[in-house]
């Protein structure tokens, strides 16, 4: 039985802790804040409750597997999962709208044809077929296996297929998702639909590789899910599973260093100068903080870079307490597309311009009694992907962005201004406080191609006994990916370097 010290109580860290405890190890989690979950938090006031991190779940099989492998109670006995249908409603800049069914290719094709014109659905359906090909080519190396030593193969090869071009009598391969929209979807609204699904992960579609097509495919193929009571309930369930497996949590315990002995990680040092010895250390922190904890480089020369990509993306969130219940037919998720998408992306890439514009806004309206005082009220969450370097310490920046989100949300919530009781703003500074990540930036999932710029550092490091877990390590950000990173780290510790992922 080995002693395992885990730095941080994020979702990836807890997923690894539960699996390692089941394997017979003694696991202690050191969390600098007073609660678990990382960015998966909840805000409560006056009987209203809100998810302040992710609001929906894709690929729930990751957490089903975690609960299957760590105990007798399956996931559905611990939380209530509900498929969101329609998956989303989109309000485009020209005023046109479409509601997309959940996990139904035929339904999505029909809905797009009806809303956007004949042929639109077929073009989107054909795109999903190609996205599936990219998914099949990258699923195992990007999600289910430790990062390959020869990861350059993933970095250089674009898995999204080339498309025959009748006029040119040759094939043409898109290198970015923006080129997919322009060359293959050939409709500004379909392109905006794809762009929004890439932007939701903090990626600029003009620079994101075409392999990012796997992100909308993942949601389409495996559905969009809501956890009754909010996604925070998923974090609670994972935390309680850890406790059942005898994982020890120490809250309010900031780790200030990784202890080295005989050339390997041998424990952690805390802010009060105490040292907790360990045989292995698992760190759920961003690369900059991990370097500071070790005071040494952790990657081989030429390895995947350990610094976050620039620009840094984050989320700006506004929580709304409304009087009056949800109207009949209200949609759980509405995406209100930016009126000036190009300028929105310019500001994401180069913040500080003098022409702020309304961003693409996601409006979440869960029909969940647990989140409201009674049926005569409603809790709503508005969010947008923004630059982490846009000067969020300035009240004028916060006020303008709040006004933009409220204005856009009027397209999704009838009578919003008249119904508004109060609102609470969550800036990137809140995310930084909760996660410890500089500027509250949010990691994107790992992607193939792009010369390695869209890969994350491997779960193992140059320092034996030290492992990375969570969104800032392979396979990247997002709830499913965090759970996968926990499985990979547990496999590397239990089975050693020969571990090659789930079978």
């Amino acid at each position: 039985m080995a002693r395992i010290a885990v730095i941080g109580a994020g979702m990836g860290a807890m997923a690894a802790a539960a699996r390692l405890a089941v394997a017979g190890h003694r696991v202690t989690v050191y969390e600098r804040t007073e609660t678990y979950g990382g960015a998966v938090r909840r805000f409560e006031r006056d009987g209203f409750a809100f998810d302040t991190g992710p609001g929906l779940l894709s690929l729930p099989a990751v957490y089903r597997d975690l609960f299957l492998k760590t105990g007798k109670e399956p996931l559905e006995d611990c939380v209530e999962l509900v498929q969101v249908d329609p998956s989303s409603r989109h309000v485009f800049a020209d005023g046109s709208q479409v509601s997309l069914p959940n996990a139904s290719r035929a339904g999505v094709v029909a809905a797009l044809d009806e809303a956007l014109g004949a042929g639109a659905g077929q073009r989107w359906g054909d795109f999903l077929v190609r996205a599936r090909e990219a998914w099949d080519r990258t699923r195992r190396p990007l999600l289910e296996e430790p990062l390959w030593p020869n990861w350059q193969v993933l970095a250089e090869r674009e898995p999204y297929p080339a498309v025959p071009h009748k006029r040119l009598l040759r094939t043409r391969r898109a290198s970015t998702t923006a080129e997919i929209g322009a060359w293959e979807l050939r409709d500004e609204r379909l392109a905006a639909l794809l762009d929004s699904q890439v932007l939701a992960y903090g990626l600029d579609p003009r620079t994101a590789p075409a392999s990012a097509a796997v992100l909308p495919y993942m949601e389409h193929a495996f559905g969009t899910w809501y956890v009754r009571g909010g996604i925070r309930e998923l974090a609670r369930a994972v935390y309680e599973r850890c406790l059942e497996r005898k994982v020890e949590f120490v809250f309010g315990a900031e780790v200030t260093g990784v202890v080295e002995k005989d050339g390997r990680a041998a424990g952690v040092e805390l802010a009060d100068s105490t040292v907790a010895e360990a045989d292995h250390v698992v760190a759920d922190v961003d690369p900059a903080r991990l370097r500071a904890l070790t005071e040494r480089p952790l990657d081989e020369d030429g390895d995947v870079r350990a610094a976050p990509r620039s620009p840094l993306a984050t989320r700006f969130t506004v929580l709304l307490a409304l009087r009056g219940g949800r109207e009949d037919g209200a949609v759980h998720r509405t995406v209100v597309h930016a009126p000036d998408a190009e300028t929105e992306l310019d500001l994401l890439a180069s913040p500080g311009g003098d022409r702020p514009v309304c961003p693409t806004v996601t409006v979440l309206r869960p029909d969940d009694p647990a989140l409201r005082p009674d049926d005569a009220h409603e809790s709503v969450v508005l969010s947008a992907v923004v630059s982490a370097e846009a000067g969020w310490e300035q009240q004028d920046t916060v006020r303008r962005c709040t006004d933009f989100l409220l204005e856009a949300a009027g397209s999704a919530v009838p009578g919003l201004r008249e119904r508004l009781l109060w609102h609470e703003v969550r800036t990137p500074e809140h995310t930084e406080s909760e996660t410890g990540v500089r500027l509250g930036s949010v990691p994107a999932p790992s992607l193939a191609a792009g010369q390695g710029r869209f890969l994350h550092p491997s779960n193992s490091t140059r320092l034996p006994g030290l492992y990375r877990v969570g969104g800032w390590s392979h396979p990247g950000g997002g709830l499913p990916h965090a759970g996968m990173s926990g499985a990979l780290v547990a496999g590397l510790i239990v089975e050693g370097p020969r571990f090659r992922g789930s079978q």
Side-chain angles (χ1 to χ4, degrees):
M1 177 177 69
R3 299 164 299 175
I4 314 290
V6 179
I7 306 173
M11 297 298 285
M14 291 195 295
R19 290 176 181 270
L20 288 166
V22 166
H25 299 299
R26 192 170 72 221
V27 184
T28 303
V29 177
Y30 299 91
E31 167 58 45
R32 66 181 186 85
T33 70
E34 297 299 330
T35 190
Y36 54 85
V40 183
R41 301 290 182 102
R42 172 180 287 154
F43 179 85
E44 297 181 356
R45 173 182 164 187
D46 301 339
F48 293 88
F50 310 84
D51 279 324
T52 60
L56 295 170
L57 175 67
S58 58
L59 207 58
V62 172
Y63 288 93
R64 290 192 180 109
D65 181 71
L66 171 64
F67 277 72
L68 177 67
K69 300 291 177 56
T70 59
K72 296 180 180 179
E73 282 187 299
L75 177 62
E76 278 81 354
D77 284 356
C78 301
V79 297
E80 182 182 355
L81 288 176
V82 182
Q83 271 201 309
V84 176
D85 202 10
S87 172
S88 59
R89 171 174 166 249
H90 289 261
V91 179
F92 297 105
D94 65 356
S96 58
Q97 303 180 18
V98 64
S99 291
L100 302 178
N102 196 347
S104 169
R105 183 179 183 277
V108 167
V109 168
L112 289 171
D113 277 342
E114 181 177 355
L116 307 184
Q122 185 62 50
R123 290 196 297 278
W124 185 261
D126 291 344
F127 157 71
L128 289 176
V129 171
R130 293 187 289 272
R132 177 178 179 175
E133 187 173 333
W135 167 265
D136 290 340
R137 290 174 175 174
T138 61
R139 175 179 58 85
R140 283 197 61 82
L142 278 183
L143 300 179
E144 299 176 2
E145 300 175 344
L147 190 63
W148 292 346
N150 61 333
W151 58 267
Q152 290 88 350
V153 175
L154 285 172
E156 297 168 0
R157 182 180 302 168
E158 174 55 72
Y160 185 82
V163 178
H165 193 286
K166 294 181 180 179
R167 292 183 180 178
L168 299 179
L169 298 179
R170 60 179 175 83
T171 60
R172 178 165 58 181
R173 184 182 297 276
S175 61
T176 66
T177 53
E179 289 178 348
I180 293 175
W183 297 351
E184 301 172 24
L185 299 179
R186 304 191 307 280
D187 184 299
E188 290 185 357
R189 295 160 300 181
L190 289 179
L193 175 60
L194 174 58
D195 288 353
S196 69
Q197 293 178 315
V198 173
L199 179 62
Y201 291 91
L203 297 167
D204 184 338
R206 301 173 303 184
T207 57
S211 65
V214 300
L215 302 176
Y217 173 78
M218 185 172 68
E219 182 173 303
H220 163 77
F222 304 106
T224 304
W225 299 78
Y226 174 68
V227 179
R228 188 70 67 187
I231 294 294
R232 176 66 177 178
E233 286 296 292
L234 178 64
R236 174 199 57 78
V238 176
Y239 171 67
E240 292 181 353
R241 177 54 55 90
C242 286
L243 294 179
E244 292 168 4
R245 301 283 78 83
K246 308 304 181 184
V247 175
E248 181 183 357
F249 285 80
V250 184
F251 294 107
E254 182 171 3
V255 174
T256 56
V258 174
V259 177
E260 297 184 32
K261 184 178 180 180
D262 298 329
R264 61 175 292 114
V268 296
E269 182 175 358
L270 304 178
D272 62 4
S273 297
T274 61
V275 172
E277 295 181 350
D279 301 296
H280 302 277
V281 176
V282 176
D284 190 354
V285 298
D286 67 285
R289 186 177 174 211
L290 186 57
R291 285 197 301 273
L293 293 178
T294 59
E295 298 183 350
R296 63 182 287 175
L298 294 172
D299 294 281
E300 300 285 356
D301 292 341
D303 198 359
V304 177
R305 64 191 226 173
R309 295 183 304 276
S310 182
L312 300 177
T314 186
R315 289 182 178 85
F316 182 88
T317 304
V318 181
L319 315 176
L320 306 181
L322 304 182
R323 63 171 64 88
R326 296 169 88 249
E327 74 277 9
D328 291 341
V331 175
H332 189 121
R333 175 175 58 173
T334 300
V335 179
V336 183
H337 291 258
D340 186 346
E342 196 68 21
T343 302
E344 174 191 27
L345 296 177
D346 287 342
L347 290 174
L348 180 65
S350 301
D354 58 1
R355 187 191 166 196
V357 295
C358 182
T360 297
V361 178
T362 298
V363 182
L364 296 182
R365 304 179 64 192
D367 185 9
D368 190 343
L371 304 185
R372 57 185 183 243
D374 51 52
D375 289 345
H377 296 84
E378 182 182 6
S379 66
V380 176
V381 177
L382 317 179
S383 64
V385 173
V386 294
S387 170
E389 302 170 288
W392 297 107
E393 72 282 356
Q394 302 173 17
Q395 287 302 310
D396 185 56
T397 301
V398 174
R399 180 189 56 78
R400 285 192 299 183
C401 196
T402 301
D403 288 342
F404 281 142
L405 266 62
L406 288 171
E407 179 183 355
S411 301
V413 184
L416 184 149
R417 296 281 186 174
E418 295 75 21
R419 297 176 58 196
L420 184 61
L421 290 171
W422 50 263
H423 72 272
E424 188 80 21
V425 173
R426 303 274 303 180
T427 71
E429 291 181 329
H430 290 94
T431 305
E432 179 176 7
S433 174
E434 292 172 353
T435 64
V437 178
R438 177 179 171 269
L439 301 177
S441 55
V442 178
S446 291
L447 298 171
Q451 300 301 310
R453 292 182 297 115
F454 299 89
L455 295 173
H456 287 270
S458 59
N459 304 108
S460 56
T461 71
R462 286 182 65 185
L463 179 61
L466 177 62
Y467 301 86
R468 303 181 183 94
V469 76
W472 293 102
S473 64
H474 180 73
L479 277 173
H481 298 73
M484 294 173 195
S485 75
L488 292 174
V489 167
L492 287 167
I493 292 176
V494 172
E495 298 187 24
R498 68 180 183 275
F499 175 68
R500 291 296 178 266
S502 59
Q503 300 300 320

